[in-house]
């Protein structure tokens, strides 16, 4: 049974009452229930479905993701879990559960004897909630995997979980990536097992990502990659990407196979012949695997930036998608010098895009001379030789190889609207930690190291912002305003409205590593809330090629990130330190000394150096060279 958001009626006509009845009766069709992004479920509906799990004997996997679940609703679910004896996997991913909800679930874990996997990633659980869950782990005897990634847990909560895990003989994994943790894994070599695993955990914890396009694995792969040549080849690539990313996002095999199959069927059922349009459909699809959509798989690969076959497949997909996103928007400013009418065509986004001035002049001449015009020699067709027919009576342009048609327009320059969104502005709402907001200083030029979605609808941006609200005082609601050059527009963005299955979002998607500059930074001195977010105004570069590849990238993490291979501590390279015996480290480390970190041979005195020093010292500790108490002392000295 798979139910996806937006449907008021469930699969096979079931409504929520019939679903509850099926759960209560142990209907075998409820063995795996996926309720992903069911935004139309009322609070009463959710409570009824949760309560129905109490006596259920058939359901093994239950997923309710992508919807904000309130504390009283979590309490109903927790009471049901105390009585349930069949459920093995429970996913509440992206449900914004907080510490109170975590407390309810912790009480349930103390009595539940069937649950083996609990996914609480992308929630608002903090140190207090983590401590309550840690107490439950001291009692629970069945849970094997606890996923708390991308929550709000810090060192204190992580330490509680680590201590509890050390005493639990059944638990095999606690996933804590994406939290505000500095020392948990680095200092935990004795708990996490043998030295080989400790080393791997250290490498994962201090793994850094490049801050520049030219130094990224993606940049190298993209330069060497070619787009997929056929839709079938694209579908194979999508299947491979989903298959390879799924384990990293803790998604089971049936779920990722289902997503790949549904995407492939959707692309083929729409008879999309152009690879770029098929790539756009995959990006905008609302299909998902346990709350993880395909576009999130691509963003995950770009964020992790690991070389290999998966990165190359991602680069090929990006090449294909960018054939749609990166357009000839420089035509817009060229028409300013043109005299007379301007010729334009309607693109796949439903916008009027001007032909190049030279092509427009030819079309105007032929329009005056005849009713039809056939040619393969226009500038936009250079190198392809595709025959086109222009019907000046019906104003239709036809690709005579594929039969694809487009509307033609003969307009005044002021009527051309294909280069930019209305008012030359798009928006994006987001919740950011305060330190990330401070990254956006006036005049700063940066690239965004992934695809960046925005909308030309203020109402849509506010809806997304408020739906993602999290009760964390460290998070700041931000509304980004992207300002386009009024003449040149932007060459690496496009409207996806005519491709998407989520109509009405008015999504303008920027290509990966698009360049921006900060026009106006956030004013954090004024009060703010979800209804009145702080504002950051950005200028969009018309062409990212105008900005050097060495411009720093923003990834939603601290900007002070460096390649591990270039980090030195007391003359000892970090990578070497992980392989040194304790006595070698002891000869390098001296108590109460000044901490000096070298990166690329340059002594770092900037604000990011102290945190990196702590990472290096803690890595040495995990390798067995420094006692934990000394690490705490050194962390103070490094500041």
């Amino acid at each position: 049974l798979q139910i996806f958001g937006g449907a008021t009626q469930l699969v096979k006509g079931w409504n929520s009452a019939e679903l509850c009845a099926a759960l209560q009766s142990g209907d075998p069709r409820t063995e795996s229930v996926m309720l992903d992004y069911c935004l139309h479920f009322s609070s009463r509906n959710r409570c009824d479905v949760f309560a129905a799990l109490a006596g259920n004997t058939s359901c093994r996997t239950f997923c309710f993701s992508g919807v904000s679940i309130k504390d009283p609703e979590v309490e109903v679910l927790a009471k049901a879990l105390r009585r349930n004896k069949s459920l093995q996997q429970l996913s509440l991913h992206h449900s914004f559960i907080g510490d109170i909800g975590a407390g309810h679930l912790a009480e349930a874990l103390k009595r539940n004897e069937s649950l083996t996997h609990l996914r609480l990633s992308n929630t608002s659980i903090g140190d207090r909630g983590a401590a309550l869950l840690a107490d439950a782990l001291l009692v629970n005897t069945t849970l094997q995997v606890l996923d708390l990634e991308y929550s709000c847990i810090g060192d204190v909560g992580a330490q509680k979980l680590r201590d509890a895990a050390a005493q639990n003989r059944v638990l095999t994994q606690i996933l804590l990536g994406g939290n505000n943790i500095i020392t948990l894994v680095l200092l935990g070599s004795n708990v996490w097992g043998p030295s080989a695993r400790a080393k791997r955990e250290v490498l994962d914890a201090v793994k850094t990502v490049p801050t520049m396009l030219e130094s990224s694995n993606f940049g190298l792969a993209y330069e060497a990659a070619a787009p997929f040549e056929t839709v079938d080849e694209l579908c194979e690539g999508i299947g491979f990407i989903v298959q390879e990313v799924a384990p990293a996002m803790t998604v089971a095999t049936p779920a990722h196979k289902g997503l790949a199959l549904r995407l492939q069927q959707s692309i083929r059922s729409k008879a999309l012949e152009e690879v770029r349009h098929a790539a756009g459909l995959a990006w905008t699809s609302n299909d998902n695997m346990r709350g993880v959509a395909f576009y999130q798989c691509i963003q995950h690969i770009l964020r992790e930036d690991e070389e290999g076959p998966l990165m190359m497949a991602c680069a090929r997909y990006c090449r294909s998608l960018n054939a749609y996103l990166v357009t000839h928007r420089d035509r817009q400013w060229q028409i300013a010098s043109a005299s007379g009418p301007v010729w334009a065509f309607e693109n796949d986004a439903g916008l009027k895009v001007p032909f190049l001035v030279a092509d427009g002049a030819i079309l105007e001449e032929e329009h005056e001379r005849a009713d039809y015009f056939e040619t393969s020699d226009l500038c936009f067709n250079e190198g392809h030789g595709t025959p086109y027919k222009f019907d000046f009576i019906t104003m239709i342009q036809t690709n005579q190889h594929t039969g694809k048609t487009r509307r033609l327009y003969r307009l005044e320059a002021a009527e051309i609207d294909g280069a930019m969104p209305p008012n030359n502005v798009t928006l994006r709402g987001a919740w950011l930690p305060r330190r990330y907001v401070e990254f956006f200083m006036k005049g700063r030029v940066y690239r965004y190291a992934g695809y960046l979605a925005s909308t030309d609808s203020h109402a849509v941006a506010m809806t997304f912002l408020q739906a993602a609200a999290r009760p964390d005082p460290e998070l700041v609601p931000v509304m980004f305003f992207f300002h386009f050059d009024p003449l040149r527009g932007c060459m690496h963005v496009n409207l996806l409205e005519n491709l998407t299955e989520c109509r009405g979002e008015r999504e303008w998607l920027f290509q990966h590593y698009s360049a921006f500059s900060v026009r106006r930074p956030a004013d954090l001195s004024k009060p703010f809330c979800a209804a009145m977010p702080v504002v950051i105004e950005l200028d969009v570069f018309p062409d990212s090629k105008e900005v050097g590849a060495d411009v720093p990238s923003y990834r939603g993490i601290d900007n002070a990130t460096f390649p591990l291979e270039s980090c030195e501590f007391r003359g000892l390279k970090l990578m070497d330190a992980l392989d040194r015996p304790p006595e070698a480290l002891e000869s390098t480390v001296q108590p109460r000394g000044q901490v000096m970190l070298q990166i690329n041979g340059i002594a770092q005195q900037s604000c990011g150096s102290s945190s990196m020093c702590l990472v290096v010292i803690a890595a040495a500790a995990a390798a067995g060279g420094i006692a934990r108490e000394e690490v705490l002392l050194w962390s103070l000295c490094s500041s």
Side-chain angles (χ1 to χ4, degrees):
L1 172 65
Q2 291 189 328
I3 302 167
F4 297 97
T8 55
Q9 291 292 315
L10 308 187
V11 171
K12 297 183 179 179
W14 284 8
N15 56 36
S16 59
E18 290 168 326
L19 174 59
C20 291
L23 288 169
Q24 291 167 345
S25 65
D27 190 313
R29 288 174 292 178
T30 63
E31 180 178 358
S32 179
V33 178
M34 308 294 179
L35 298 168
D36 293 328
Y37 294 89
C38 289
L39 301 176
H40 295 307
F41 267 44
S42 67
S43 178
R44 177 65 181 272
N45 293 151
R46 292 193 286 269
C47 287
D48 289 345
V49 172
F50 292 158
L53 288 171
N56 177 270
T57 58
S58 59
C59 188
R60 300 291 182 269
T61 301
F62 187 86
C63 177
F64 202 101
S65 300
V67 178
S68 180
I69 304 177
K70 299 178 175 61
D71 293 332
E73 299 165 14
V74 181
E75 186 175 10
V76 173
L77 174 60
K79 289 180 179 178
L81 291 176
R82 295 177 193 177
R83 295 175 51 194
N84 184 284
K85 299 185 183 302
S86 63
L87 190 64
Q88 297 174 357
Q89 298 188 46
L90 173 62
S91 176
L92 301 175
H93 165 76
H94 230 300
S95 59
F96 305 110
I97 291 175
D99 289 338
I100 295 176
H104 293 317
L105 293 173
E107 290 302 312
L109 285 176
K110 292 178 181 179
R111 297 175 59 177
N112 181 278
E113 297 179 351
S114 64
L115 208 60
T116 60
H117 292 69
L118 177 58
R119 187 181 186 194
L120 297 173
S121 56
N122 286 88
T123 63
S124 299
I125 297 174
D127 286 342
R128 181 184 169 200
L132 295 172
L133 290 169
D135 290 341
L137 293 179
L138 296 174
V139 179
N140 182 276
T141 59
T142 59
L143 195 67
Q144 299 173 16
V145 177
L146 176 59
D147 183 355
L148 291 165
E149 289 191 317
Y150 296 98
S151 297
C152 304
I153 300 171
D155 277 350
V156 174
Q159 183 68 45
K160 295 279 187 181
L161 289 167
R162 186 178 73 90
D163 292 343
Q167 300 181 50
N168 187 305
R169 296 181 179 276
V170 179
L171 192 70
T172 59
Q173 279 187 305
I174 298 181
L175 303 175
L176 291 167
N179 283 279
N180 302 318
I181 302 168
I182 299 175
T183 58
L184 167 69
V185 177
L186 298 175
L187 303 182
S189 57
N190 293 333
V191 172
W192 294 112
S195 58
R197 182 172 181 183
K199 176 182 175 181
R200 186 171 67 252
E201 296 286 1
V202 168
L203 289 174
D204 287 343
V206 299
K207 180 176 62 178
T208 59
V209 293
T211 58
M212 302 173 185
L213 171 62
E214 64 181 3
S215 62
S216 68
N217 288 315
F218 173 76
L220 297 175
Y222 189 78
E223 187 172 343
F228 292 112
E229 295 183 359
T230 65
V231 170
D232 286 339
E233 192 178 23
L234 171 73
C235 287
E236 291 180 9
I238 288 173
F240 175 74
I241 290 170
V242 171
Q243 170 188 317
E244 295 300 311
V245 172
M249 306 187 82
T250 64
V251 175
T253 300
H256 78 65
K257 285 186 176 179
L259 173 61
L261 182 61
R262 291 193 300 274
L263 286 174
Q264 292 162 350
Q265 290 175 339
S266 178
I267 289 171
R268 291 184 172 118
S269 68
K270 295 181 185 299
L272 294 176
E273 297 179 358
E274 292 196 42
V275 173
R276 58 179 182 159
H277 296 155
L281 180 68
W283 178 272
T284 61
S285 173
N286 58 10
D287 271 330
N288 63 83
M289 46 181 182
R290 302 276 181 91
V292 178
F294 178 72
Y295 79 87
Q296 292 173 300
C297 296
I298 297 298
Q299 297 286 58
H300 173 82
I301 298 170
L302 294 174
R303 183 172 60 247
E304 295 299 311
D305 198 58
E306 294 180 355
E307 62 180 339
L310 179 60
M311 175 58 75
M312 184 54 68
C314 174
R316 294 196 66 189
Y317 170 80
C318 292
R319 282 281 188 190
S320 304
L321 178 60
N322 292 347
Y324 181 80
L325 296 183
V326 182
T327 59
H328 297 290
R329 296 186 181 275
D330 54 343
R331 298 169 180 166
Q332 175 70 12
W333 63 266
Q334 291 184 19
I335 67 174
S337 60
S339 60
V342 174
W343 284 83
F345 64 89
E346 185 176 85
N347 71 2
D348 295 294
L351 301 176
K352 303 178 186 70
V353 180
F355 285 91
L356 292 171
V357 173
D359 288 347
I362 294 174
L363 292 174
E364 179 66 18
E365 180 181 340
E366 294 297 329
H367 170 262
E368 296 293 336
R369 192 172 62 84
D371 293 334
Y372 302 96
F373 174 50
E374 294 185 9
T375 182
S376 58
D377 296 330
L378 295 183
C379 296
F380 76 87
N381 196 27
E382 185 178 355
H384 300 286
T386 304
Y388 282 89
K389 179 179 180 180
F390 295 85
D391 186 332
F392 298 125
I393 298 176
T394 61
M395 295 299 281
I396 295 293
Q397 166 192 323
T398 304
N399 181 321
Q400 293 185 297
H401 273 171
T402 66
K404 183 178 179 64
T405 61
R406 296 183 185 275
R407 287 188 60 82
L408 287 173
Y409 296 93
R410 184 170 178 265
L411 305 166
E412 296 300 321
E415 299 178 86
I416 297 295
D417 62 0
M420 293 167 288
N423 301 317
N424 306 330
V425 174
T426 61
L427 306 93
R428 177 183 175 86
W431 290 78
L432 302 178
R434 182 180 292 264
R435 65 183 183 279
Y436 297 173
V437 175
E438 294 168 352
F439 168 86
F440 298 94
M441 299 181 295
K442 183 176 177 60
R444 166 165 269 171
V445 176
Y446 72 97
R447 292 176 178 269
Y448 187 83
Y451 286 94
L452 184 64
S454 63
T455 176
D456 60 31
S457 168
H458 186 271
V460 170
M462 286 298 296
T463 298
F464 274 91
L465 179 70
Q466 293 172 0
R470 298 167 68 172
D472 185 342
E474 290 300 314
L475 294 179
V476 178
V478 179
M479 184 63 71
F480 289 95
F481 285 77
F482 300 89
H483 295 274
F484 291 72
D485 186 294
L487 285 180
R488 298 181 61 192
C490 176
M491 294 183 65
H492 45 274
V493 68
N494 211 340
L495 178 66
L496 305 185
E497 186 69 15
N498 281 8
L499 287 178
T500 183
E501 296 179 1
C502 304
R503 294 296 178 89
E505 290 185 354
R506 303 286 303 172
E507 179 181 352
W508 291 79
L509 184 65
F510 289 95
Q511 179 193 4
H512 49 75
Y513 283 91
S514 290
F516 308 92
S517 64
V518 180
R519 174 189 290 194
R520 183 163 73 103
D523 183 357
L524 296 176
S525 65
K526 298 179 180 179
F528 52 80
C529 62
M532 294 188 301
V534 301
V535 171
I536 296 178
E537 295 191 48
L538 305 171
D539 285 313
V540 178
F541 277 85
D543 186 352
S544 284
K545 292 180 180 178
E546 298 172 3
V547 178
D550 58 347
V551 169
S553 298
Y554 175 76
R555 293 173 177 262
I557 60 173
D558 285 327
N559 200 40
T561 53
F562 308 96
L564 280 177
E565 291 76 6
S566 62
C567 293
E568 295 184 6
F569 173 68
R570 294 279 181 188
L572 179 67
K573 286 190 176 295
L574 173 58
M575 298 297 288
D576 294 339
L578 294 173
D579 291 319
R580 292 287 187 94
E583 55 270 18
L585 286 172
E586 288 170 1
S587 65
T588 305
V589 177
Q590 301 174 14
R592 300 187 59 127
Q594 288 283 329
V595 174
M596 180 59 68
L597 175 67
Q598 288 195 349
I599 299 170
N600 296 328
I602 302 173
Q604 299 296 310
Q605 304 272 350
S606 66
C607 61
S609 63
S610 61
S611 60
M612 282 300 296
C613 286
L614 176 58
V615 167
V616 175
I617 299 164
I626 317 174
R628 175 174 172 174
E629 293 76 15
E630 290 174 315
V631 172
L632 296 178
L633 172 63
W634 278 76
S635 68
L636 296 175
C637 291
S638 69
S639 297

